[in-house]
Amino acid sequence: MDLDLINARRRLRGQRVVERWPVRLSEALEPDHDFDLIVLSVPHHRLPEAMAFLSPRVGRATALVFGNVWAEPLDAIGALPVDQVAWGFPQSGGGFGADGVLRGVLLPSVIFGTLGRPPTERERAVRQAFGEAGPRLEERPDFRGWLWVHFVSDAGLLSQGLRSGSLSKPAGATGDLREGLLTGRELLPLLKARGHGLSAPAKSPRTLGSVRPSSPGGEGRRLAAGARGGSRLRTMRLPHVLTDPPSAPRRVVISRPTRAPTTSSGAPPSPARTGESTGSSCTSCRSAR
């Protein structure tokens, strides 16, 4: 397998790695396999299918659910034994190009979490394996809440990627980034409706900590990094768009090219009346309110 990666596990700028990786691929998984760890990293909408395949074949291995989850976590694993499941999120990613090369980035940290209890022996073994590979480990005791907040944050930013046609464009455009953050904020009532307690801190309202679970022991959404040479944490401050109350309902409108309609006589129809929209729109943000 051909790799073209940016390895940022130990350097801020990262180190480019271009090499051919000899890897053995298997398309079958027998129930009597001898694997210790199975990493399950699939899109959230493919998770039920993956669980249906893995449940009768997991054997004695630990299954690491390593990606986005929008359903209730314990419902998402299906018939998989709960005591054989570990939870995590990669903080890295990439994909295969048309030339078959795997391109991606390895970031400095990996996130692990539990569902309101201490890690089991299996989960500690998974953390040890990843820690030995170099990345820094981060813990989220309320991993259910963290997954859901991360999901709506992604939805807001990805909506701008869909609008602009590429995820790389919003990253360098302040206006697009602001719109993505606003869209993610307007999805927060959806989290509250699903039972995720959100509260705002009494101080520093413009930090990511302004979105956090209110249950005891819940993890905040504060983005912090260990300062070199000590345990002091730095907190990233965000624009006021995340914390100031919205002045009016918003709607994300994504126009898509359509074939020009014609009448039965073949002539184009009359122009749309004033105030009508000729493009399609995504109204998930309004329905979430």
Side-chain angles (χ1 to χ4, degrees):
M1 181 184 300
D2 292 319
L3 302 179
D4 187 352
L5 306 175
I6 301 298
N7 181 6
R9 288 177 294 177
R10 295 179 177 86
R11 298 182 182 178
L12 183 61
R13 289 180 173 270
Q15 178 182 6
R16 188 179 181 187
V17 178
V18 179
E19 63 180 42
R20 187 167 183 81
W21 180 37
V23 59
R24 185 184 66 180
L25 300 178
S26 177
E27 296 183 354
L29 182 64
E30 301 299 330
D32 58 348
H33 64 79
D34 59 353
F35 292 110
D36 297 314
L37 175 63
I38 298 174
V39 179
L40 191 61
S41 186
V42 298
H44 72 98
H45 58 276
R46 299 292 301 274
L47 200 54
E49 177 186 352
M51 289 300 179
F53 171 84
L54 183 59
S55 295
R57 300 174 175 85
V58 66
R60 295 188 296 273
T62 299
L64 173 62
V65 181
F66 211 45
N68 276 314
V69 177
W70 181 236
E72 284 284 351
L74 294 182
D75 294 339
I77 62 175
L80 207 62
V82 177
D83 60 353
Q84 290 183 235
V85 177
W87 302 91
F89 200 88
Q91 294 278 85
S92 302
F96 287 93
D99 54 1
V101 177
L102 176 60
R103 296 178 174 86
V105 178
L106 297 175
L107 296 180
S109 63
V110 175
I111 294 176
F112 290 99
T114 54
L115 306 179
R117 53 162 178 73
T120 64
E121 183 178 350
R122 284 177 178 269
E123 291 172 314
R124 289 194 296 270
V126 173
R127 287 156 171 73
Q128 179 180 351
F130 275 82
E132 292 173 353
R136 183 177 67 252
L137 307 184
E138 298 184 15
E139 285 288 338
R140 297 291 184 270
D142 178 20
F143 200 57
R144 170 182 177 265
W146 185 90
L147 283 170
W148 288 1
V149 171
H150 183 272
F151 196 100
V152 299
S153 301
D154 270 3
L157 296 174
L158 290 174
S159 70
Q160 294 306 302
L162 177 62
R163 184 192 61 79
S164 62
S166 171
L167 288 176
S168 62
K169 294 179 180 179
T174 304
D176 288 346
L177 181 59
R178 179 180 184 275
E179 286 298 310
L181 294 174
L182 281 169
T183 302
R185 186 187 67 173
E186 292 201 349
L187 288 171
L188 295 181
L190 176 60
L191 296 184
K192 296 186 71 172
R194 300 187 77 189
H196 187 305
L198 300 173
S199 66
K203 298 181 179 180
S204 302
R206 293 188 181 184
T207 67
L208 277 173
S210 60
V211 179
R212 66 183 183 188
S214 59
S215 58
E219 274 298 303
R221 280 281 297 165
R222 182 176 59 184
L223 180 63
R228 293 182 181 178
S231 58
R232 182 181 177 184
L233 297 180
R234 299 192 304 273
T235 302
M236 176 182 292
R237 293 181 176 272
L238 289 184
H240 61 83
V241 297
L242 281 184
T243 53
D244 294 347
S247 57
R250 300 170 57 257
R251 181 171 63 177
V252 178
V253 178
I254 302 173
S255 300
R256 298 177 181 174
T258 57
R259 181 179 300 175
T262 59
T263 62
S264 57
S265 62
S270 58
R273 293 189 300 274
T274 302
E276 290 184 347
S277 173
T278 57
S280 61
S281 63
C282 170
T283 59
S284 60
C285 297
R286 287 183 66 105
S287 61
R289 296 182 63 85

